[in-house]
Amino acid sequence: MNFEEHAAKPLMALNGITVPPSRLALDPVEAEAAAAAIGPCVVKAQVPAGKRGKAGGIKLAANPAEARRHAEAIIGLVIGGWPVEKVLIEAQTPIARELYAAIVNDSASKGPMLLFSPMGGMDVEEAAAADPAAMRRLPIAIEHGLGAATAHKAISGLGLEAVAPALVDVLLNLYRAYRSLDAELIEINPLVVTPDNRVIALDCKLTIDDSAASRQVQAAALAAPVQQTVLEAKAAEAGLKYIELGGEVGVLANGAGLTMTTMDVIAHYGGQPANFLEIGGEAYTKSKVALSILLENPNVKSLLVNFCGAFARTDVMAEGVINAWEDLKPEIPIFFSIHGTGADAAVALVKSRLGIEPFDLMDDAVKAAVAAAAGRTQA
Amino acid sequence: MIPRKADRILIQGITGKQGSFWSKAMQDYGSTIVAGVNPAKAGSEHLGVPVFASAREAAKSTPFDIACMFIPPMLAKVAAIDACEAGAKLLVCLTEHIPAHDVMEMHVAARATGTRIVGPNTAGLVTVGECFIGIMPAFNDRVFRPGHVGVISRSGSLGTLVSLNLTQSGLGQSVFYGVGGDPMIGTNTADALRILDGDAGTHAIVLCGEIGGTAEEEAADYARSMTKPVVAFLAGRQSPPDKKMGHAGAIVSGGKGDYASKRKALEDAGVTVADLPSQIPALIAARLTATASNDAPRSPR
């Protein structure tokens, strides 16, 4: 789960990292009032996406009237696909240097990694690509945690001696926040040094591990909404991963790998998948609710059911599909390819209750579903 | 490490619904299960083997080589560390959705005890015709038949499809190696490639990858040195890329991870990349024929 700046920064403050005073505003009037309390400020679009500055979502305001005008302009923008519905009114901070600091899950070292760069700001990715040495990467042994020695190493030799103790504190606190929040990513960009040598986090991107949500209940309540369609929300409610796509061939498969593959094969044969919907893992008993969600998408012209049961029992999944099919009586054609665990029973059920013969080869089922979606019958 | 019939297996969570179902399937296939774990049922017997309070308890009287976990995600870390400290040489971790920080701690424990972890979120390992560990339909002879093609897959369902395609084309398998779909797995695709490269019973290898991460790029580095033919299929060509927050992800991956990068890396390393899973058997057969003719003794004249 992702966190917007206004939700992430208080979590950083709780861990001892200094952030500027700020207030959240839901409309220009609130923005004006907040600016009156805070003084010269920055009006910042709140969306769980990057590149807000480049999209015109971050503007300086010298006074409350200007803050109001900026809020009027920013609220309603669409940034990274997200409509801006709120702005953060934050006190302006004088900047001497802009740094970059992050802690991220690193799959290569199978542990946390500290990233630090003296070249923070909007173009940090480009700077790191152009000059890899400018981005320091220090793997952290999770059994020992981040120690002061490693933190010192991250910042040494960069002309940061005057603020070294404060910077080291920030890095240690950042790591503490990372661990205590089950974070996948905490990124402070920029981490600024003020002319009077204070170290302040001007922005914060936070992603917390979805798998840890049940033990991060307090923080999870502050997470940014997930961008999803009505059907996607309904699927999420049912514990299913469903993504709406533009095409016309409905896809019901088990396991993310097979589902992605099914989409690829549909495209190979000239069709377009209408959705990603997988019911593998523990969700394999949910094929009835899965199918009803899928059929609510009016773009679906044919349905491809592709099961390759390993853990997931195809007989259980097929029975759910058949029950739903009999209930909903959809008027689109359905095509089956069923193999693996429970396939004999599943194939027998499909034949006896729907009078449909599943295909022996997945490619044949895909071709038939693509042809049917295009209004053709397979020769 | 490839599981053998002689390897003694401990099942953590043996008494649960899935633990019972799959343990029985493993036993029927030929796997040697010697003990199970469930703290609430210690002292009892299940599926003909003793149940212990922990892997460490089990090890005192019932030595084992391999541990396999049917354990829910929030309890997985403790179970995994228990298995490592009990001396498991191999730990097959089927559990999906283990918090990432817990997975990191599992890997620390495994490094300390020299345990190889397969997974998390693996569908398991099948030594075809001999034994299996995990949740694969090893026992379904339309999917798996003994032969000489090794199959490596992040995904159990895709691995099942590819094995099925091979079997439908008359090509049997030596080993199915499920590496797991998690970002931080103990045995990655390159490791599995190295393991199957060293297996005399494996003559060719199918590598089933997916977009995301850098596992296929790393595997390509190893494949470059191989003489055994490798054919790959990469799932996710049509999938929208994951939207990530912040810059750190892009900085760490350095532009790797998408379909084009993976395909190029593999092809540059001499791996044949199939557009469709159904093309894999013919590509494998062609590569095996080419290898055989290269290896054939030269005619004296």
Side-chain angles (χ1 to χ4, degrees):
Chain A
M1 55 201 127
N2 292 330
F3 290 71
E4 289 166 342
E5 180 188 11
H6 69 90
K9 276 183 167 168
L11 294 169
M12 297 306 109
L14 277 177
N15 282 284
I17 295 169
T18 306
V19 299
S22 67
R23 253 199 226 179
L24 192 63
L26 300 177
D27 59 47
V29 176
E30 283 186 21
E32 185 172 17
I38 283 174
C41 62
V42 192
V43 183
K44 304 171 91 175
Q46 295 298 291
V47 284
K51 311 212 190 306
R52 292 174 299 161
K54 287 180 182 168
I58 297 181
K59 292 194 186 302
L60 292 172
N63 55 56
E66 197 180 354
R68 179 181 178 141
R69 283 197 302 279
H70 287 327
E72 277 165 1
I74 291 172
I75 293 175
L77 286 179
V78 176
I79 300 177
W82 294 87
V84 180
E85 293 170 347
K86 47 194 180 291
V87 289
L88 190 68
I89 306 299
E90 184 171 83
Q92 291 182 13
T93 303
I95 298 172
R97 288 189 72 170
E98 288 190 314
L99 316 173
Y100 172 97
I103 298 178
V104 62
N105 291 356
D106 176 41
S107 43
S109 63
K110 295 168 200 169
M113 180 150 74
L114 171 65
L115 299 174
F116 185 82
S117 170
M119 292 154 66
M122 290 202 282
D123 297 317
V124 64
E125 243 173 83
E126 293 75 8
D131 178 11
M135 180 61 68
R136 297 187 172 178
R137 303 147 200 250
L138 295 102
I140 300 167
I142 196 167
E143 65 273 36
H144 305 304
L146 176 62
T150 305
H152 271 289
K153 201 170 142 196
I155 63 167
S156 68
L158 299 169
L160 295 164
E161 290 72 18
V163 287
L167 259 182
V168 166
D169 271 353
V170 167
L171 297 183
L172 298 184
N173 288 335
L174 200 59
Y175 184 75
R176 199 166 54 144
Y178 163 86
R179 282 293 278 150
S180 65
L181 290 167
D182 270 302
E184 280 176 10
L185 162 78
I186 302 183
E187 181 181 80
I188 309 289
N189 183 35
L191 176 66
V192 304
V193 180
T194 64
D196 58 350
N197 282 339
R198 289 173 299 138
V199 179
I200 298 178
L202 277 208
D203 191 12
C204 178
K205 299 259 187 300
L206 169 65
T207 304
I208 289 182
D209 184 356
D210 289 329
S211 298
S214 67
R215 67 184 185 202
Q216 294 293 344
V217 178
Q218 269 186 304
L222 305 170
V226 181
Q227 198 168 34
Q228 53 192 8
T229 66
V230 175
L231 286 181
E232 287 170 354
K234 203 167 162 182
E237 189 93 346
L240 293 166
K241 177 91 172 155
Y242 171 79
I243 301 169
E244 231 164 282
L245 303 166
E248 297 180 327
V249 181
V251 179
L252 184 61
N254 65 290
L258 182 65
T259 308
M260 283 198 286
T261 301
T262 307
M263 291 160 54
D264 296 344
V265 178
I266 288 170
H268 181 89
Y269 288 115
Q272 282 301 321
N275 63 278
F276 173 98
L277 174 56
E278 67 121 335
I279 56 168
E282 297 289 348
Y284 76 87
T285 54
K286 296 180 183 168
S287 50
K288 183 169 175 177
V289 53
L291 184 66
S292 62
I293 287 167
L294 197 154
L295 290 171
E296 278 186 56
N297 176 354
N299 297 330
V300 174
K301 298 286 186 289
S302 72
L303 180 63
L304 174 64
V305 178
N306 187 18
F307 292 152
C308 241
F311 174 74
R313 286 173 50 188
T314 58
D315 51 338
V316 175
M317 295 188 289
E319 191 174 4
V321 170
I322 294 166
N323 288 342
W325 197 259
E326 288 174 347
D327 274 7
L328 300 164
K329 302 186 175 53
E331 289 179 358
I332 58 168
I334 183 169
F335 304 90
F336 289 90
S337 168
I338 303 178
H339 299 93
T341 308
D344 285 342
V347 167
L349 275 176
V350 171
K351 280 191 204 169
S352 66
R353 286 179 53 189
L354 298 181
I356 294 172
E357 188 83 24
F359 287 85
D360 276 345
L361 300 177
M362 171 183 150
D363 289 41
D364 292 340
V366 173
K367 284 186 226 171
V370 168
R376 290 180 275 123
T377 45
Q378 189 95 36
Chain B
M1 168 167 184
I2 293 167
R4 296 296 170 195
K5 200 179 175 69
D7 289 327
R8 299 158 298 179
I9 303 166
L10 171 89
I11 306 287
Q12 297 171 285
I14 193 170
T15 59
K17 190 174 157 217
Q18 298 297 347
S20 296
F21 177 86
W22 288 99
S23 296
K24 175 80 169 47
M26 289 182 230
Q27 286 175 326
D28 291 347
Y29 194 67
S31 306
T32 308
I33 298 176
V34 295
V37 173
N38 176 349
K41 296 187 178 168
S44 68
E45 209 182 82
H46 190 70
L47 300 175
V49 300
V51 177
F52 296 91
S54 67
R56 276 167 296 195
E57 267 318 301
K60 287 178 190 167
S61 62
T62 316
F64 60 90
D65 307 292
I66 299 172
C68 175
M69 293 168 57
F70 287 88
I71 301 288
M74 299 313 271
L75 305 175
K77 177 178 91 174
V78 170
I81 293 173
D82 178 32
C84 292
E85 291 181 350
K89 296 189 199 71
L90 175 69
L91 172 61
V92 179
C93 181
L94 309 169
T95 312
E96 188 179 4
H97 301 307
I98 306 175
H101 288 204
D102 289 3
V103 173
M104 294 173 185
E105 291 186 63
M106 287 164 48
H107 288 307
V108 169
R111 276 194 291 265
T113 57
T115 306
R116 170 178 289 284
I117 293 181
V118 174
N121 191 13
T122 172
L125 308 173
V126 184
T127 308
V128 183
E130 184 172 340
C131 63
F132 90 99
I133 302 161
I135 50 177
M136 287 297 287
F139 40 80
N140 185 326
D141 68 0
R142 265 164 291 166
V143 179
F144 286 107
R145 295 258 177 99
H148 298 290
V149 182
V151 178
I152 298 168
S153 181
R154 286 210 227 171
S155 149
S157 55
L158 178 54
T160 301
L161 174 71
V162 167
S163 300
L164 172 85
N165 284 344
L166 289 167
T167 297
Q168 282 174 335
S169 304
L171 287 164
Q173 308 81 17
S174 51
V175 177
F176 170 82
Y177 217 105
V179 294
D182 266 25
M184 286 182 283
I185 49 177
T187 302
N188 63 24
T189 305
D191 297 330
L193 207 50
R194 191 175 303 113
I195 290 166
L196 293 191
D197 193 23
D199 174 44
T202 299
H203 301 168
I205 296 165
V206 182
L207 194 163
C208 309
E210 285 174 22
I211 54 164
T214 56
E216 290 75 17
E217 286 87 340
E218 287 154 28
D221 281 340
Y222 180 78
R224 194 165 288 121
S225 68
M226 288 174 64
T227 49
K228 273 183 199 178
V230 182
V231 172
F233 172 75
L234 300 167
R237 193 175 196 169
Q238 293 296 322
S239 299
D242 241 3
K243 280 185 200 155
K244 287 278 180 201
M245 292 269 288
H247 301 280
I251 289 168
V252 172
S253 71
K256 294 178 181 173
D258 66 7
Y259 183 87
S261 154
K262 288 177 188 299
R263 181 162 190 147
K264 180 168 192 313
L266 288 166
E267 288 179 338
D268 286 352
V271 174
T272 307
V273 180
D275 288 325
L276 296 171
S278 57
Q279 296 169 342
I280 292 170
L283 294 172
I284 282 281
R287 293 283 308 259
L288 279 171
T289 310
T291 309
S293 59
N294 285 343
D295 289 350
R298 298 260 166 103
S299 156
R301 267 164 289 168

